[in-house]
Amino acid sequence: DQQVKQNSPSLSVQEGRISILNCDYTNSMFDYFLWYKKYPAEGPTFLISISSIKDKNEDGRFTVFLNKSAKHLSLHIVPSQPGDSAVYFCAAEGGRGSTLGRLYFGRGTQLTVWP
Amino acid sequence: DGGITQSPKYLFRKEGQNVTLSCEQNLNHDAMYWYRQDPGQGLRLIYYSQIVNDFQKGDIAEGYSVSREKKESFPLTVTSAQKNPTAFYLCASSPPLAGSAYNEQFFGPGTRLTVL
């Protein structure tokens, strides 16, 4: 059963506009969330993260928002660039205890930024 | 340069053969992980190891085996019992949990396994 869900398999955005990628989770024990970016035939690279004690984290063009009550997070990319075209994975970490620090990944969203 | 290496990049095998995928890291990380990626499936955890000589099954361990004899190495064997082995395999590692506030995982470049 997917504990981390990315319900949009693809997103297409024009260059310069905002890209918003969404992620939902079901496990209230998750206390850390990460976004990874992946190009074809390469390993994912870490993009940005957020702790459950925060509701926003910003790094340059990338901002992640967390709504704990809704168990929802989103990644905003502003402005979007063609080089941002990749698959974006949302991941959650359950902290200490039952999940032993492992990450749970969503199925990914393919972002395409067109000129 | 510190990082994670996986070899080979592309691997072909005949049905019924076992094959071992290599994963080496020089980041001094304690934990290592194996995932497989299939189209539309995201990253699914096969096995993970948090310390040398210890490992645990992930969500899809059937048909796979691992060993962790050295901190730097975590090879994955895809056995003939794995019914659908063609996939992109990713290895990752992470620093000790006690030393960091979160568990960021660092990934290798992956191995594309094709069963003929």
Side-chain angles (χ1 to χ4, degrees), chain B residues 5 15 22 25 37 48 54-55 60 71-72 105 107:
Chain B
T5 57
E15 195 171 344
S22 167
Q25 55 98 1
Q37 183 191 11
Y48 62 104
D54 188 41
F55 48 83
I60 54 166
K71 187 175 184 178
E72 302 79 18
Q105 292 182 14
F107 285 84

Side-chain angles (χ1 to χ4, degrees), chain A residues 36 38 41 43 100-102 107, chain B residues 9 37 40 50 59 103 105 108:
Chain A
Y36 283 83
K38 184 183 181 301
L100 297 174
R102 61 167 283 186
R107 296 188 174 186
Chain B
K9 181 71 173 175
Q37 183 191 11
Q50 301 209 321
D59 299 323
N103 182 23
Q105 292 182 14

Side-chain angles (χ1 to χ4, degrees), chain B:
Chain B
D1 272 45
I4 303 174
T5 57
Q6 291 185 244
S7 60
K9 181 71 173 175
Y10 299 95
L11 188 57
F12 298 87
R13 76 152 206 211
K14 292 183 179 179
E15 195 171 344
Q17 291 180 338
N18 292 356
V19 62
T20 298
L21 282 61
S22 167
C23 178
E24 304 279 332
Q25 55 98 1
N26 59 5
L27 300 167
N28 200 32
H29 287 171
D30 285 330
M32 297 186 74
Y33 310 80
W34 274 105
Y35 296 87
R36 69 176 273 169
Q37 183 191 11
D38 298 281
Q41 292 289 331
L43 303 179
R44 294 186 291 169
L45 184 65
I46 304 172
Y47 268 98
Y48 62 104
S49 167
Q50 301 209 321
I51 196 169
V52 174
N53 292 323
D54 188 41
F55 48 83
Q56 289 79 40
K57 293 182 179 180
D59 299 323
I60 54 166
E62 185 176 352
Y64 299 98
S65 66
V66 293
S67 63
R68 187 84 188 277
E69 297 177 0
K70 298 187 300 181
K71 187 175 184 178
E72 302 79 18
S73 178
F74 191 40
L76 173 75
T77 297
V78 185
T79 75
S80 57
Q82 168 50 230
K83 298 191 186 312
N84 187 19
T86 294
F88 189 56
Y89 289 87
L90 287 158
C91 179
S93 69
S94 64
L97 290 176
S100 64
Y102 59 88
N103 182 23
E104 179 186 335
Q105 292 182 14
F106 298 80
F107 285 84
T111 293
R112 166 69 63 182
L113 173 64
T114 303
V115 175
L116 304 172

Side-chain angles (χ1 to χ4, degrees), chain A residues 6-106:
Chain A
Q6 294 177 257
N7 293 319
S8 297
S10 63
L11 175 67
S12 183
V13 172
Q14 187 175 24
E15 181 178 7
R17 307 293 287 266
I18 184 171
S19 295
I20 300 177
L21 294 91
N22 293 304
C23 179
D24 297 293
Y25 62 97
T26 58
N27 190 339
S28 58
M29 290 290 291
F30 289 148
D31 62 3
Y32 205 83
F33 304 89
L34 306 89
W35 285 94
Y36 283 83
K37 177 179 178 179
K38 184 183 181 301
Y39 293 116
E42 294 183 9
T45 56
F46 171 75
L47 191 58
I48 192 169
S49 61
I50 188 167
S51 165
S52 60
I53 63 173
K54 295 184 177 181
D55 55 19
K56 176 182 176 181
N57 187 28
E58 190 172 356
D59 183 2
R61 296 186 298 113
F62 303 92
T63 303
V64 57
F65 296 92
L66 175 62
N67 183 334
K68 283 189 66 177
S69 61
K71 294 190 179 69
H72 177 83
L73 63 156
S74 60
L75 174 67
H76 293 212
I77 306 174
V78 183
S80 301
Q81 300 173 354
D84 295 330
S85 297
V87 176
Y88 289 79
F89 289 102
C90 172
E93 196 242 333
R96 317 304 167 243
S98 61
T99 51
L100 297 174
R102 61 167 283 186
L103 293 180
Y104 294 83
F105 285 87

